[in-house]
Amino acid sequence: MCTRAPSLRGKDLPLAALLSAFHSRAVRRFAALLVLAPALAFGQAALDEELAATREMVRFNPDEAVARLARLVPQARTAPLATRAELHWLYSSAIRRAGDPKRALAMGDELVAWGRAARDDAVYAKGQLTRAYALFDLDDLGGSHKANFEAERAANNTGDLPLRVQATISAGQSFQEQGNYPAALARLQAAIDLARTVKKDNAPLAGALNALAFLYTDMKQFDKGWEVQRESLEVAQRMKSPGRLAIALATEYGLAIESGQHEQARRALLAELDVERRLGARQMIADTLVNLSDLYLKKRDYRSTVGFAQQALAAGEDVKSPLVIATARVNLGQAYLGMGRLAEGRRQFEAGLDAYEKNGVKPELQAVLVEYGAALEQAGDYKGAIDAYHRERDISEEMFAEQRQKAVLELQQKYDTEKKQRQIDALRQENRVKGVELDNRRLQQRIWWLLAIVFALAAVVVGLLYRKVRQANAQLEVKNRELKQQSARDPLTALYNRRHFQEFMRHHGQVEPGQAGHGKAERRQQDGDLIGALFLLDVDHFKHINDSHGHAAGDAVLKMIAASLRETLRETDMIVRWGGEEFLAFLPAVPRGGLDDVARRILHGISSQSVEYQGRMLAVNASVGFAPFPLVALDTPMSWERAVNLVDMALYMAKSHGRNRAYGVRGFHDLERTTLEAVEQDLESAWRNGFVDLVVVTGDMLDGVPAAAETLERADLVA
């Protein structure tokens, strides 16, 4: 995730449009300086020289400029209007760049009032430019454009050439933001021509060339952009101004990135960073470090990405720039995910997302979520990736709905305007040809043809929009089906996951209370027909396999067991990866006397296979707990959750009595003398007290034949 390299609206720092929205407290500590500043004995000439020396500082070290200008406020109170307006103009610009656009907007309103009262177009134009820049930072583009055009009109009535150049540049950039590139190009070329007439000051020319290079970048006319950029760099070097050189290098970076010249972009950023560090421009340093981290991220150089992103994070915290901090964290998160550091990557990504979400920048948040989902998917965190894609889809749908509503309203407004104009034209034509019947008929025919064409065009437009919406909905439906399929499967074994089984049982697996003697499943049990069953399986000594051979060996064992269960059981049986090394099988229909055989087949199917890993054969056994389902206690079927819990207790008994065997619950006796909760808490004690019937199936082989199942007597466990 990179910052915006080109400058906008005469504000030469990258990301000016977004960064300013985050800085709300950066300069409040300087407010007391307005009252406490010492009375310096400056004359008028000395004051003008001090203001001139502070201009470049306003652009590149706004915090220092705020403190310096605050000390000049008492001296300017008795100065001429032009001097007071210049101080107010510079001070408001420094405050805005330091992160307080609302206060800068109020100061711009004061300048406008001064200009109107004195009928001074220069002061009025400066006030409107101040308002335009502050409104831009506050995301009021309409108000910003209106103020820019008003500033241009007023500035053109003055003889202040630098002011006219700046106002013309700002008007051109407003046209650029509106997408009116021909008007923007004409304004910026006019600004360059006007700047060339300014004597002994190359700053207006540098600003105009920089803006034109950015416009050509936006228009994808890279050859012209490079031509202007070369002159812009030459002017910046001729000025011997580190700040202007840094701005030119930032524009070169943006042009190189957009034209696909990544190495050129890297060199420009490193050169820019060196200049900014010598200049001490902390905000520019923070932005450049973020851009460097993004550049190395695109090259998959994660180590360099982490280095520059950490530097950007520290720089962002230094200048209190939440957007720089958020972008640095996103780049850190993506780099850590690329390096396999999943937990740290998720933590950094989520911290960055939180900042974007609080700011409400939906397009930026959507782009970051897409990158987040892709990075999580590549790192193997499919659930996290699906969550990120769901969040991105929700934002996309919100943006699409807003854009569609806006488009419909604009179309309706345009149609109403055209309809009103047609009615006016028709009335005028009717008045002119009144009394001439033939001409009147021809006019009516033309009007009807025009209406037919308009309605036909409207129908075509609506049809195209409807078709586009249908295609988008169809693609969304396909994506939803894919995501639903992915969310129901375990990515390692391709078996159903626990969530899918819970959803299935919630809709299909419950038996209505009070129906134990009347339900279909209970009738089958009474008739000795088919019954359902639950089998819970756990791999023996799985931790030892992971500790001795590594998690890759453990994954191979889990895949083998999944394949064995598919081969042993039927297609109609639901096999679930229950969690970790546990598997659950739900058999909807099995002969009542066949549960022991199923358990035996499961045990033998696993123990008869070995897993080959790195030249070694790994023998694997498993322990199983099982029971019929529904499992009836006191004439009431147990819920599937309680049945699984009881099967889990049987599995625990299989583990504690030798492993590689299966313990099955057949039924209950005399539950009136105890409670089902007591049975669930200690199945073995319940069996010893005669409340539960158990059967054991061992995984041992006798002369190549599996051992028979045995009804478990209490003496067996004692022995």
Side-chain angles (χ1 to χ4, degrees):
M1 185 72 188
C2 72
T3 63
R4 289 170 56 189
S7 63
L8 290 175
R9 288 278 178 60
K11 297 170 289 185
D12 301 302
L13 297 184
L15 257 182
L18 295 175
L19 290 173
S20 61
F22 286 85
H23 300 304
S24 59
R25 300 183 297 275
V27 298
R28 292 180 184 173
R29 60 184 179 274
F30 299 114
L33 293 174
L34 294 174
V35 179
L36 302 177
L40 303 178
F42 277 141
Q44 179 62 43
L47 183 59
D48 289 339
E49 289 178 4
E50 187 72 5
L51 291 177
T54 312
R55 282 195 187 94
E56 292 292 289
M57 184 185 295
V58 167
R59 290 181 179 273
F60 310 116
N61 301 96
D63 288 342
E64 296 178 24
V66 167
R68 189 169 180 175
L69 290 168
R71 291 194 294 269
L72 300 178
V73 170
Q75 316 309 317
R77 287 172 181 162
T78 58
L81 176 61
T83 302
R84 286 188 287 118
E86 181 68 7
L87 173 60
H88 213 67
W89 155 260
L90 293 175
Y91 194 45
S92 64
S93 180
I95 286 175
R96 176 181 56 78
R97 292 172 186 274
D100 197 347
K102 291 184 178 179
R103 186 178 172 193
L105 179 61
M107 296 180 74
D109 291 336
E110 291 176 1
L111 275 174
V112 168
W114 292 358
R116 283 175 175 164
R119 296 184 178 180
D120 190 320
D121 284 327
V123 175
Y124 179 81
K126 289 179 179 179
Q128 289 292 0
L129 286 174
T130 300
R131 295 184 68 257
Y133 301 157
L135 288 169
F136 182 88
D137 287 355
L138 294 169
D139 292 327
D140 183 359
L141 290 184
S144 177
H145 295 163
K146 183 178 179 180
N148 267 327
F149 296 141
E150 180 64 13
E152 181 190 34
R153 182 197 64 76
N156 286 337
N157 294 329
T158 73
D160 189 337
L161 291 181
L163 178 62
R164 290 172 59 188
V165 171
Q166 185 164 351
T168 305
I169 292 173
S170 297
Q173 290 175 326
S174 292
F175 281 123
Q176 180 180 349
E177 290 157 7
Q178 294 174 353
N180 189 350
Y181 291 132
L185 185 60
R187 284 295 199 286
L188 294 182
Q189 288 174 338
I192 290 175
D193 292 340
L194 187 61
R196 295 189 192 280
T197 66
V198 179
K199 305 299 182 183
K200 298 181 181 180
D201 187 3
N202 286 318
L205 180 58
L209 289 170
N210 184 75
L212 183 59
F214 175 59
L215 174 62
Y216 280 134
T217 302
D218 202 14
M219 295 169 64
K220 309 300 182 186
Q221 296 184 15
F222 301 123
D223 291 340
K224 294 182 179 179
W226 282 114
E227 181 180 350
V228 174
Q229 172 60 23
R230 281 190 291 272
E231 183 180 0
S232 175
L233 194 60
E234 291 172 2
V235 171
Q237 292 169 341
R238 190 164 61 244
M239 290 175 66
K240 297 181 180 180
S241 166
R244 293 290 178 177
L245 181 59
I247 293 172
L249 289 170
T251 304
E252 181 175 334
Y253 157 71
L255 183 57
I257 278 291
E258 290 298 320
S259 59
Q261 302 181 46
H262 293 95
E263 183 56 28
Q264 178 71 16
R266 186 185 70 85
R267 289 197 298 269
L269 278 179
L270 291 174
E272 178 188 357
L273 182 61
D274 180 64
V275 173
E276 290 163 352
R277 282 175 170 164
R278 285 188 278 112
L279 182 63
R282 296 182 298 154
Q283 180 64 63
M284 297 176 73
I285 290 171
D287 296 340
T288 303
L289 287 170
V290 169
N291 288 337
L292 276 166
S293 69
D294 183 75
L295 191 63
Y296 281 105
L297 187 62
K298 287 184 173 66
K299 299 172 65 175
R300 299 184 183 277
D301 185 351
Y302 299 125
R303 187 175 301 277
S304 298
T305 300
V306 168
F308 283 110
Q310 288 175 340
Q311 293 181 55
L313 187 58
E317 290 171 347
D318 178 52
V319 299
K320 297 180 176 61
S321 173
L323 184 58
V324 169
I325 295 172
T327 309
R329 288 194 183 279
V330 167
N331 287 354
L332 264 178
Q334 196 163 353
Y336 283 142
L337 290 177
M339 297 167 70
R341 296 166 62 177
L342 187 60
E344 182 65 10
R346 287 177 61 95
R347 186 179 71 82
Q348 295 290 353
F349 240 121
E350 291 291 345
L353 284 170
D354 184 60
Y356 282 114
E357 196 162 10
K358 287 179 180 178
N359 190 48
V361 186
K362 290 184 180 179
E364 295 289 338
L365 180 60
Q366 182 188 16
V368 173
L369 283 170
V370 170
E371 293 177 4
Y372 189 26
L376 288 174
E377 184 177 1
Q378 187 174 2
D381 185 359
Y382 299 104
K383 182 180 182 302
I386 291 172
D387 292 341
Y389 290 143
H390 277 302
R391 291 163 67 183
E392 185 273 334
R393 185 187 61 188
D394 292 341
I395 293 175
S396 177
E397 289 176 351
E398 291 177 9
M399 292 172 60
F400 176 77
E402 293 171 359
Q403 292 171 357
R404 181 174 57 185
Q405 183 178 11
K406 182 179 179 182
V408 170
L409 291 175
E410 289 177 351
L411 185 62
Q412 182 65 43
Q413 184 179 9
K414 183 177 180 181
Y415 173 77
D416 291 342
T417 302
E418 291 180 352
K419 182 178 178 181
K420 185 175 181 180
Q421 186 62 42
R422 287 195 303 271
Q423 291 173 344
I424 294 172
D425 292 340
L427 288 173
R428 289 176 178 173
Q429 186 72 3
E430 183 179 356
N431 289 334
R432 282 196 298 265
V433 298
K434 192 174 183 179
V436 184
E437 183 176 355
L438 182 59
D439 292 340
N440 185 48
R441 289 177 182 175
R442 290 176 178 173
L443 175 62
Q444 290 177 355
Q445 289 176 354
R446 290 171 186 162
I447 293 173
W448 283 113
W449 274 112
L450 179 60
L451 288 173
I453 292 172
V454 170
F455 282 120
L457 290 174
V460 171
V461 171
V462 172
L464 290 174
L465 290 175
Y466 178 72
R467 181 180 178 184
K468 185 175 181 180
V469 170
R470 288 190 59 187
Q471 290 175 346
N473 288 338
Q475 293 173 357
L476 185 60
E477 185 177 354
V478 171
K479 191 68 175 179
N480 285 338
R481 286 200 299 268
E482 292 176 354
L483 291 174
K484 184 176 181 181
Q485 178 69 14
Q486 293 174 4
S487 66
R489 294 285 182 176
D490 171 56
L492 178 65
T493 62
L495 299 177
Y496 287 113
N497 58 28
R498 186 171 189 157
R499 178 167 159 266
H500 175 78
F501 177 76
Q502 291 171 335
E503 189 71 19
F504 173 82
M505 295 302 286
R506 187 176 297 114
H507 292 93
H508 305 289
Q510 298 290 3
V511 178
E512 294 295 332
Q515 300 298 319
H518 308 287
K520 184 176 180 181
E522 180 62 20
R523 289 199 304 271
R524 286 180 173 175
Q525 291 188 41
Q526 292 175 351
D527 297 340
D529 199 357
L530 301 177
I531 60 173
L534 291 168
F535 287 79
L536 189 61
L537 175 151
D538 185 272
V539 183
D540 293 336
H541 304 297
F542 186 74
K543 185 176 183 302
H544 175 73
I545 294 173
N546 275 340
D547 293 344
S548 302
H549 305 286
H551 290 281
D555 290 347
V557 168
L558 296 177
K559 290 179 181 178
M560 181 276 285
I561 290 177
S564 175
L565 290 175
R566 288 194 194 94
E567 185 175 343
T568 301
L569 302 177
R570 300 164 301 182
E571 292 185 358
T572 55
D573 301 331
M574 181 179 291
I575 309 172
V576 181
R577 184 177 178 190
W578 195 242
E581 64 270 25
E582 286 189 329
F583 297 82
L584 177 75
F586 170 59
L587 284 61
V590 63
R592 183 173 181 178
L595 268 64
D596 302 343
D597 291 335
V598 174
R600 188 178 299 108
R601 289 202 308 272
I602 291 173
L603 292 171
H604 178 64
I606 294 172
S607 62
S608 63
Q609 300 185 54
S610 297
V611 177
E612 182 178 358
Y613 181 75
Q614 294 183 348
R616 302 185 63 180
M617 302 302 294
L618 305 179
V620 182
N621 293 321
S623 299
V624 179
F626 65 95
F629 181 79
L631 191 60
V632 180
L634 295 175
D635 295 330
T636 301
M638 298 173 63
S639 68
W640 71 267
E641 292 94 339
R642 299 190 77 171
V644 169
N645 183 56
L646 202 62
V647 170
D648 189 42
M649 296 294 295
L651 169 62
Y652 176 77
M653 290 184 65
K655 287 282 188 184
S656 61
H657 292 286
R659 295 184 173 85
N660 191 23
R661 62 193 60 212
Y663 274 63
V665 178
R666 285 185 169 175
F668 305 97
H669 293 291
D670 300 330
L671 287 184
E672 297 84 357
R673 295 190 294 112
T674 184
T675 64
L676 191 57
E677 288 75 12
V679 172
E680 291 177 313
Q681 290 176 2
D682 194 341
L683 181 63
E684 185 168 341
S685 295
W687 165 79
R688 291 181 185 279
N689 293 325
F691 299 133
V692 181
D693 285 343
L694 294 179
V695 61
V696 60
V697 178
T698 66
D700 300 330
M701 301 286 291
L702 300 176
D703 297 327
V705 178
E710 298 180 1
T711 301
L712 195 64
E713 302 294 341
R714 285 184 288 279
D716 295 337
L717 289 179
V718 174

